[in-house]
Amino acid sequence: MTKNILITGGAGFIGSHVVRRFVNNYPNYKIYNLDALTYAGNLENLKDIEMKENYTFIKGNICDIDLVDKIFQENNIDTVIHLAAESHVDRSISDPLAFVQTNVIGTATLLNSARKLWNNQYEGKLFYHVSTDEVYGSLGETGFFYETTAYDPRSPYSASKAGSDHLVMAFYHTYHLPIVISNCSNNYGPHHFPEKLIPLSINNIIQNKPLPIYGKGENVRDWLYVIDHADAIDTILHKGKMGETYNIGGHNEWTNIELIRLLCKIMDEKLGREKGSNEKLITFVTDRAGHDLRYAIDATKLKEELGWTPSLQFEEGLNKTIDWYLENSEWLKKVTNGEYLKYYEKQYHQNEN
Ligand code: NAD
Ligand code: TYD
């Protein structure tokens, strides 16, 4: 079977793993990667597959109606895997409108092009929307997010993703557009931009810089290796039911402080530093505004209905991730220049207690 797949945000962290997987595993599928190359998009993430015959990169914005229509028409797009987004909560606190623009307007633009150009010919078509568990809000010390959990977003990022999820569902109910949504927990792994907790901490440990922990470090996140997320997306794309939502997660909860202590310990060994020396870099800083206490996914539906489970244990994934950053210092240097340094200065300067 052949498919013409438009992947949006394919130069970003998760998108690049999804693009690589589909280009390599499905030579019969044509993959079109539409990405605006914001600070978070990096074609270096795709160097190994950029020459493949079934891969095309298109630089552009998902909010550009004419461009999106043209891509659908010229390439006979039958499948969309939509990952393009503004994705960092802290940036959404300082610039919420950028999140509404890309995450809400951009998603609406893609949905509307699919609706217009598929023109009720929905056989063999699919709009797959990649979303986050953050739309469910914040858990207390117990309980999990289920697919049926009511949306309760609390940051401009999660609210804009919730808005996009609602639009996707609205297009399903109103126009019968064939859609599927997945809501995944926090990802980690190679090519993760070093503004998020794990890659930022790895980068700072390498450079012997302070490790900023918000509040008391008691917030809990549920971590999944990015390649397992790409694997789940592949499973859902091929086996998921139209109009359904699937939660993706690995039952792997860590408080931020315990996670960073483990990271420090592993990196003491890898960098040949004295035991306990990296932990001394931990610095508690002012808490994030509206900081969600705990996320935890129940992925039973995905396991029972589609047979997906994560492949990696956390320590194995964390070791692989650290090794990748240690072996790819050039990548780190390139993405931490200019614009990122300005962001870092603004975000953390005068913030350390
Ligand atoms: P990322 O920030 O690393 O990458 C986003 C990509 O989208 C970048 O390549 C960027 O250039 C591109 N982009 C941004 N605005 C665009 C626009 N207007 N037009 C075209 N391209 C644009 O994000 P990520 O962490 O890889 O997340 C990808 C998707 O997965 C997002 O939708 C996010 O909400 C979702 N998600 C992320 C996580 C996580 O832990 N990172 C977890 C669950 C779901
Ligand atoms: P992050 O990686 O930004 O993902 P998200 O906010 O989408 O879950 O943050 C993960 C957790 O780490 C979150 O509880 C906020 C916290 N955090 C810090 O303590 N310090 C930091 O410098 C960053 C970026 C995050």
Side-chain angles (χ1 to χ4, degrees), residues 8-16 33-42 45 60-63 82-88 98 101-103 106 129-134 157 161 182-188 191-193 195-196 223-224 226 229 233:
T8 69
F13 166 47
I14 301 170
S16 62
N33 171 14
L34 171 62
D35 197 298
L37 299 182
T38 68
Y39 78 93
N42 185 351
N45 293 350
N61 197 311
I62 56 165
C63 302
H82 173 36
L83 296 112
E86 288 292 341
S87 68
H88 188 37
Q101 184 62 32
T102 285
N103 300 357
H129 177 60
V130 176
S131 193
T132 166
D133 61 354
E134 303 192 25
Y157 164 64
K161 289 297 291 187
S182 57
N183 296 85
C184 189
S185 61
N186 285 59
N187 284 211
Y188 70 99
H191 301 286
H192 204 182
F193 194 82
E195 65 183 357
K196 307 274 171 73
W223 295 94
L224 183 72
V226 63
H229 188 186
I233 289 173

Side-chain angles (χ1 to χ4, degrees), residues 87-90 132-134 155 157 186-187 192-201 204 211-215 217-223 254 256-257 259-260 283 285-288 291-293 295 343-344 347-348:
S87 68
H88 188 37
V89 173
D90 293 323
T132 166
D133 61 354
E134 303 192 25
S155 73
Y157 164 64
N186 285 59
N187 284 211
H192 204 182
F193 194 82
E195 65 183 357
K196 307 274 171 73
L197 180 67
I198 291 180
L200 181 142
S201 303
N204 285 15
L211 305 175
I213 302 292
Y214 298 159
E218 286 166 353
N219 303 67
V220 174
R221 295 294 182 266
D222 181 357
W223 295 94
W254 288 80
N256 293 336
I257 188 68
L259 168 53
I260 296 307
T283 310
V285 301
T286 309
D287 207 354
R288 173 187 280 172
H291 196 171
D292 289 341
L293 177 66
Y295 303 146
Y343 163 79
Y344 194 88
Q347 174 69 13
Y348 297 103

Side-chain angles (χ1 to χ4, degrees), residues 222-238:
D222 181 357
W223 295 94
L224 183 72
Y225 195 56
V226 63
I227 288 171
D228 279 331
H229 188 186
D231 182 49
I233 289 173
D234 188 340
T235 302
I236 294 166
L237 182 116
H238 289 103

Side-chain angles (χ1 to χ4, degrees), residues 76-130:
N76 210 9
I77 296 298
D78 50 45
T79 306
V80 178
I81 309 177
H82 173 36
L83 296 112
E86 288 292 341
S87 68
H88 188 37
V89 173
D90 293 323
R91 288 184 189 252
S92 82
I93 294 169
S94 47
D95 186 9
L97 293 189
F99 285 68
V100 175
Q101 184 62 32
T102 285
N103 300 357
V104 181
I105 306 289
T107 302
T109 305
L110 290 165
L111 285 165
N112 207 38
S113 291
R115 176 185 75 82
K116 272 186 313 194
L117 299 165
W118 290 346
N119 192 23
N120 285 313
Q121 308 293 307
Y122 290 152
E123 185 67 33
K125 309 285 200 303
L126 181 66
F127 190 106
Y128 183 142
H129 177 60
V130 176

Side-chain angles (χ1 to χ4, degrees), residues 6 13 25 47 52 58 71 77 91 100 136 146 164 168 178 195 198 204 214 241 257 279 282 294 316 346:
L6 172 62
F13 166 47
N25 292 6
K47 267 211 145 8
K52 294 263 176 150
I58 303 159
I71 294 170
I77 296 298
R91 288 184 189 252
V100 175
Y136 297 122
Y146 302 93
S164 67
V168 174
E195 65 183 357
I198 291 180
N204 285 15
Y214 298 159
K241 263 174 62 190
I257 188 68
E279 251 196 65
I282 291 177
R294 175 171 166 259
E316 192 186 350
K346 198 168 143 215

